[in-house]
mmCIF file of all heavy atoms in Angstrom:
data_model
loop_
_atom_site.group_PDB
_atom_site.id
_atom_site.type_symbol
_atom_site.label_atom_id
_atom_site.label_comp_id
_atom_site.label_asym_id
_atom_site.label_seq_id
_atom_site.Cartn_x
_atom_site.Cartn_y
_atom_site.Cartn_z
ATOM 1 N N PRO T 455 -105.885 -5.861 -80.618
ATOM 2 C CA PRO T 455 -104.443 -5.950 -80.395
ATOM 3 C C PRO T 455 -103.631 -5.154 -81.333
ATOM 4 O O PRO T 455 -102.337 -5.098 -81.212
ATOM 5 C CB PRO T 455 -104.134 -7.547 -80.509
ATOM 6 C CG PRO T 455 -105.159 -7.913 -81.524
ATOM 7 C CD PRO T 455 -106.385 -7.075 -81.422
ATOM 8 N N LEU T 456 -104.257 -4.590 -82.396
ATOM 9 C CA LEU T 456 -103.512 -3.888 -83.416
ATOM 10 C C LEU T 456 -102.797 -2.672 -82.868
ATOM 11 O O LEU T 456 -103.331 -1.938 -82.065
ATOM 12 C CB LEU T 456 -104.486 -3.390 -84.389
ATOM 13 C CG LEU T 456 -103.952 -3.171 -85.911
ATOM 14 C CD1 LEU T 456 -103.280 -4.463 -86.423
ATOM 15 C CD2 LEU T 456 -105.051 -2.752 -86.875
ATOM 16 N N GLY T 457 -101.474 -2.563 -83.226
ATOM 17 C CA GLY T 457 -100.681 -1.547 -82.657
ATOM 18 C C GLY T 457 -99.660 -2.049 -81.736
ATOM 19 O O GLY T 457 -98.789 -1.276 -81.249
ATOM 20 N N ALA T 458 -99.801 -3.301 -81.295
ATOM 21 C CA ALA T 458 -98.823 -3.902 -80.336
ATOM 22 C C ALA T 458 -97.556 -4.153 -81.065
ATOM 23 O O ALA T 458 -96.495 -4.426 -80.393
ATOM 24 C CB ALA T 458 -99.396 -5.139 -79.767
ATOM 25 N N GLY T 459 -97.481 -4.260 -82.444
ATOM 26 C CA GLY T 459 -96.306 -4.607 -83.111
ATOM 27 C C GLY T 459 -95.940 -6.041 -82.938
ATOM 28 O O GLY T 459 -96.761 -6.867 -82.681
ATOM 29 N N ALA T 460 -94.569 -6.284 -82.950
ATOM 30 C CA ALA T 460 -94.107 -7.624 -82.715
ATOM 31 C C ALA T 460 -94.327 -8.043 -81.321
ATOM 32 O O ALA T 460 -94.684 -9.164 -80.989
ATOM 33 C CB ALA T 460 -92.664 -7.676 -83.104
ATOM 34 N N LEU T 461 -94.086 -7.008 -80.352
ATOM 35 C CA LEU T 461 -94.417 -7.334 -78.860
ATOM 36 C C LEU T 461 -94.361 -6.075 -78.125
ATOM 37 O O LEU T 461 -94.838 -6.023 -77.020
ATOM 38 C CB LEU T 461 -93.510 -8.372 -78.320
ATOM 39 C CG LEU T 461 -92.049 -7.913 -77.934
ATOM 40 C CD1 LEU T 461 -91.587 -8.952 -76.840
ATOM 41 C CD2 LEU T 461 -91.134 -7.909 -79.055
ATOM 42 N N SER T 462 -93.613 -5.065 -78.596
ATOM 43 C CA SER T 462 -93.420 -3.828 -77.829
ATOM 44 C C SER T 462 -93.785 -2.495 -78.504
ATOM 45 O O SER T 462 -93.137 -1.463 -78.379
ATOM 46 C CB SER T 462 -91.989 -3.835 -77.360
ATOM 47 O OG SER T 462 -91.080 -3.714 -78.475
ATOM 48 N N THR T 463 -94.894 -2.594 -79.187
ATOM 49 C CA THR T 463 -95.460 -1.432 -79.967
ATOM 50 C C THR T 463 -94.436 -0.940 -80.991
ATOM 51 O O THR T 463 -93.908 -1.784 -81.604
ATOM 52 C CB THR T 463 -95.874 -0.285 -79.056
ATOM 53 O OG1 THR T 463 -94.847 0.329 -78.360
ATOM 54 C CG2 THR T 463 -96.875 -0.728 -77.954
ATOM 55 N N THR T 464 -94.314 0.389 -81.233
ATOM 56 C CA THR T 464 -93.576 0.935 -82.266
ATOM 57 C C THR T 464 -93.005 2.321 -81.932
ATOM 58 O O THR T 464 -93.491 2.937 -80.960
ATOM 59 C CB THR T 464 -94.385 1.053 -83.560
ATOM 60 O OG1 THR T 464 -93.696 1.656 -84.524
ATOM 61 C CG2 THR T 464 -95.633 1.916 -83.251
ATOM 62 N N THR T 465 -92.077 2.741 -82.682
ATOM 63 C CA THR T 465 -91.536 4.137 -82.397
ATOM 64 C C THR T 465 -92.300 5.154 -83.192
ATOM 65 O O THR T 465 -92.118 6.431 -82.997
ATOM 66 C CB THR T 465 -90.009 4.187 -82.842
ATOM 67 O OG1 THR T 465 -89.953 3.920 -84.294
ATOM 68 C CG2 THR T 465 -89.245 3.289 -82.058
ATOM 69 N N PHE T 466 -93.291 4.707 -84.076
ATOM 70 C CA PHE T 466 -94.132 5.636 -84.787
ATOM 71 C C PHE T 466 -95.252 6.104 -83.924
ATOM 72 O O PHE T 466 -95.753 5.323 -83.047
ATOM 73 C CB PHE T 466 -94.680 4.992 -86.102
ATOM 74 C CG PHE T 466 -93.586 4.743 -87.085
ATOM 75 C CD1 PHE T 466 -93.002 3.510 -87.196
ATOM 76 C CD2 PHE T 466 -93.213 5.746 -88.025
ATOM 77 C CE1 PHE T 466 -92.020 3.289 -88.158
ATOM 78 C CE2 PHE T 466 -92.335 5.502 -88.985
ATOM 79 C CZ PHE T 466 -91.685 4.238 -89.038
ATOM 80 N N ASN T 467 -95.749 7.326 -84.254
ATOM 81 C CA ASN T 467 -96.869 7.919 -83.430
ATOM 82 C C ASN T 467 -98.251 7.451 -83.904
ATOM 83 O O ASN T 467 -98.999 8.170 -84.471
ATOM 84 C CB ASN T 467 -96.761 9.466 -83.472
ATOM 85 C CG ASN T 467 -97.855 10.111 -82.586
ATOM 86 O OD1 ASN T 467 -98.137 9.551 -81.526
ATOM 87 N ND2 ASN T 467 -98.408 11.219 -82.979
ATOM 88 N N ILE T 468 -98.527 6.195 -83.690
ATOM 89 C CA ILE T 468 -99.710 5.578 -84.129
ATOM 90 C C ILE T 468 -100.933 5.834 -83.198
ATOM 91 O O ILE T 468 -100.717 6.260 -82.060
ATOM 92 C CB ILE T 468 -99.642 4.006 -84.393
ATOM 93 C CG1 ILE T 468 -99.322 3.304 -82.990
ATOM 94 C CG2 ILE T 468 -98.541 3.628 -85.416
ATOM 95 C CD1 ILE T 468 -99.401 1.808 -83.088
ATOM 96 N N ASP T 469 -102.128 5.652 -83.655
ATOM 97 C CA ASP T 469 -103.259 5.812 -82.804
ATOM 98 C C ASP T 469 -104.091 4.495 -82.710
ATOM 99 O O ASP T 469 -104.809 4.100 -83.651
ATOM 100 C CB ASP T 469 -104.226 6.887 -83.409
ATOM 101 C CG ASP T 469 -105.381 7.283 -82.540
ATOM 102 O OD1 ASP T 469 -105.701 6.479 -81.589
ATOM 103 O OD2 ASP T 469 -106.105 8.256 -82.813
ATOM 104 N N ARG T 470 -103.812 3.799 -81.696
ATOM 105 C CA ARG T 470 -104.417 2.396 -81.530
ATOM 106 C C ARG T 470 -106.001 2.566 -81.305
ATOM 107 O O ARG T 470 -106.642 1.633 -81.751
ATOM 108 C CB ARG T 470 -103.810 1.724 -80.293
ATOM 109 C CG ARG T 470 -102.329 1.395 -80.431
ATOM 110 C CD ARG T 470 -101.821 0.456 -79.321
ATOM 111 N NE ARG T 470 -102.458 -0.840 -79.450
ATOM 112 C CZ ARG T 470 -102.423 -1.769 -78.501
ATOM 113 N NH1 ARG T 470 -101.852 -1.445 -77.278
ATOM 114 N NH2 ARG T 470 -103.013 -2.899 -78.618
ATOM 115 N N ASP T 471 -106.377 3.544 -80.662
ATOM 116 C CA ASP T 471 -107.860 3.663 -80.489
ATOM 117 C C ASP T 471 -108.561 3.917 -81.879
ATOM 118 O O ASP T 471 -109.672 3.441 -82.016
ATOM 119 C CB ASP T 471 -108.138 4.896 -79.561
ATOM 120 C CG ASP T 471 -107.740 4.657 -78.152
ATOM 121 O OD1 ASP T 471 -107.928 3.457 -77.677
ATOM 122 O OD2 ASP T 471 -107.260 5.537 -77.462
#
Side-chain angles (χ1 to χ4, degrees):
L456 204 57
L461 80 157
S462 60
T463 69
T464 176
T465 59
F466 291 94
N467 184 33
I468 64 171
D469 186 345
R470 296 188 66 194
D471 289 325

